[in-house]
């Protein structure tokens, strides 16, 4: 009975909408068909957008994890300033993707604040400098703005709940820093690293607002292609539904493979 409210929420806000989208994706001109899914293999745009989304998400998840872990440890060790840094870290999560995108344009665009400062003190060409912002590389930088805080918040909790007596025991037995890091700390923090990096990948796969503000449809990622199917440029709801299902299934599948591989490696290390 305690899980009933959770089950109702999941059915109403997840299972039922997903079922509706899935059902509509099988119709073309009022007839049942697999054409919307077969188009993924036929149309180059769909394949490239899925591949670009995947590479972008893997890149941001890896970079976000690598940057987020040491920063989270520094915040955890800051003690008196920990609450302040935690509140500061949460600020980027309060902005929508569109706000983040326009903020980067204001800061790093051709007439952006930072761009003009660099032009004044280093003599850079604003057009050349800001061009990266509206490309695939610019999306990586912008995505990291709201992905790294997620990794930090996850890992600060992990650092706080870590059993530091294991580290002390290993150190007292003569283990070096390298051995302690790879045989004690990383296995201990493995579940948190797994959940944090999976979260970063999933958020990046579905991110839309920031890409819409920065690159529009210039960079072909699947969320933007789905948008074009239901915008003024086109109106193919069933095709958009099929692409949304593909995006959901691909994201879930990659996360499941990642989690299974991670746990298998963790189990092998423990044995």
């Amino acid at each position: 009975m305690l899980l009933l409210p959770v089950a109702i929420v999941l059915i109403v806000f997840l299972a039922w909408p997903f079922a509706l989208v899935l059902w509509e994706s099988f119709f073309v001109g009022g007839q049942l068909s697999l054409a919307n899914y077969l188009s993924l293999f036929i149309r180059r745009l769909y394949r490239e957008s899925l591949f670009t989304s995947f590479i972008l998400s893997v890149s941001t998840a890896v970079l976000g994890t690598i940057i987020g872990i040491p920063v989270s440890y520094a915040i955890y060790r800051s003690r008196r300033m920990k609450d302040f840094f935690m509140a500061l870290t949460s600020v980027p999560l309060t902005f929508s993707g569109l706000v983040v995108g326009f903020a980067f344009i204001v800061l790093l665009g051709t007439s952006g604040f930072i761009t003009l400062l660099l032009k004044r003190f280093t003599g850079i060409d604003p057009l050349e400098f800001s061009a990266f912002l509206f490309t695939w590389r610019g999306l990586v930088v912008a995505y990291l703005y709201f992905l790294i805080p997620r990794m930090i918040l996850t890992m600060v909790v992990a650092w706080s709940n870590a059993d530091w007596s294991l580290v002390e025991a290993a150190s007292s037995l003569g283990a070096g820093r390298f051995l302690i890091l790879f045989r004690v700390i990383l296995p201990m923090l493995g579940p948190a690293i797994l959940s944090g990096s999976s979260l970063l990948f999933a958020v990046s796969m579905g991110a839309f607002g920031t890409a819409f503000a920065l690159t529009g449809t210039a960079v072909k990622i699947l969320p933007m292609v789905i948008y074009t199917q239901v915008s003024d440029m086109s109106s193919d709801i069933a095709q958009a539904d099929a692409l949304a299902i593909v995006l959901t299934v691909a994201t879930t599948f990659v996360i499941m493979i990642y989690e299974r591989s991670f746990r298998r490696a963790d189990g092998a290390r423990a044995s």
Side-chain angles (χ1 to χ4, degrees), residues 97-116 126 129-135 138-139 141-142 145 209-216:
L98 279 174
V99 172
V100 172
F102 285 120
F104 269 86
I105 293 174
V106 170
L107 290 174
L108 298 172
T110 307
S111 302
F113 176 72
I114 294 177
T115 304
L116 294 180
F129 173 77
S130 62
F132 87 97
L133 187 60
F134 308 102
T135 66
L139 285 185
V141 175
Y145 174 77
T210 304
F212 181 75
L214 288 179
T215 66

Side-chain angles (χ1 to χ4, degrees), residues 63-85:
L63 289 174
T65 301
I66 293 174
I67 298 172
I69 289 176
V71 174
S72 66
Y73 181 71
I75 293 176
Y76 163 72
R77 297 287 294 179
S78 61
R79 300 191 185 285
R80 289 184 180 180
M81 299 293 290
K82 179 181 173 183
D83 292 339
F84 171 75
F85 286 129

Side-chain angles (χ1 to χ4, degrees), residues 9-243:
V9 169
L10 289 177
I11 291 173
V12 173
F13 293 104
L14 181 62
W16 179 242
F18 183 83
L20 287 178
V21 172
L22 180 64
W23 175 253
E24 290 181 353
S25 68
F26 286 112
F27 284 90
V28 176
Q31 301 293 322
L32 275 173
S33 172
L34 292 174
N36 291 325
Y37 289 96
L38 294 177
S39 65
L40 187 69
F41 302 96
I42 298 172
R43 294 196 61 178
R44 183 178 178 182
L45 171 64
Y46 297 157
R47 296 197 307 273
E48 288 185 350
S49 61
L50 179 59
F51 180 74
T52 305
S53 293
F54 176 76
I55 296 299
L56 176 65
S57 301
V58 170
S59 302
T60 52
V62 170
L63 289 174
T65 301
I66 293 174
I67 298 172
I69 289 176
V71 174
S72 66
Y73 181 71
I75 293 176
Y76 163 72
R77 297 287 294 179
S78 61
R79 300 191 185 285
R80 289 184 180 180
M81 299 293 290
K82 179 181 173 183
D83 292 339
F84 171 75
F85 286 129
M86 289 289 283
L88 197 63
T89 302
S90 303
V91 171
L93 304 181
T94 63
F95 301 138
S96 71
L98 279 174
V99 172
V100 172
F102 285 120
F104 269 86
I105 293 174
V106 170
L107 290 174
L108 298 172
T110 307
S111 302
F113 176 72
I114 294 177
T115 304
L116 294 180
L117 277 180
L118 291 174
K119 177 188 175 185
R120 180 173 183 178
F121 292 108
T122 66
I124 65 165
D125 181 355
L127 279 175
E128 185 177 341
F129 173 77
S130 62
F132 87 97
L133 187 60
F134 308 102
T135 66
W136 189 87
R137 292 176 296 160
L139 285 185
V140 172
V141 175
Y143 278 22
L144 287 176
Y145 174 77
F146 55 80
L147 290 179
I148 290 175
R150 287 176 164 82
M151 193 67 197
I152 292 175
L153 294 176
T154 301
M155 291 306 301
V156 167
V157 175
W159 290 117
S160 301
N161 294 328
D163 186 358
W164 291 101
S165 64
L166 296 176
V167 177
E168 295 173 359
S171 180
S172 65
L173 292 173
R177 292 183 178 181
F178 184 82
L179 192 61
I180 292 175
L181 175 64
F182 286 95
R183 298 301 298 270
V184 180
I185 295 179
L186 287 182
M188 184 167 55
L189 299 177
I193 296 173
L194 169 66
S195 60
S197 54
S198 298
L199 176 64
L200 266 54
F201 176 81
V203 171
S204 184
M205 282 289 284
F208 169 78
T210 304
F212 181 75
L214 288 179
T215 66
T217 57
V219 176
K220 305 300 181 187
I221 56 175
L222 203 51
M224 292 306 305
V225 174
I226 294 173
Y227 164 75
T228 60
Q229 298 295 330
V230 293
S231 67
D232 294 336
M233 294 180 285
S234 174
S235 180
D236 191 345
I237 302 297
Q239 184 64 70
D241 289 337
L243 293 175

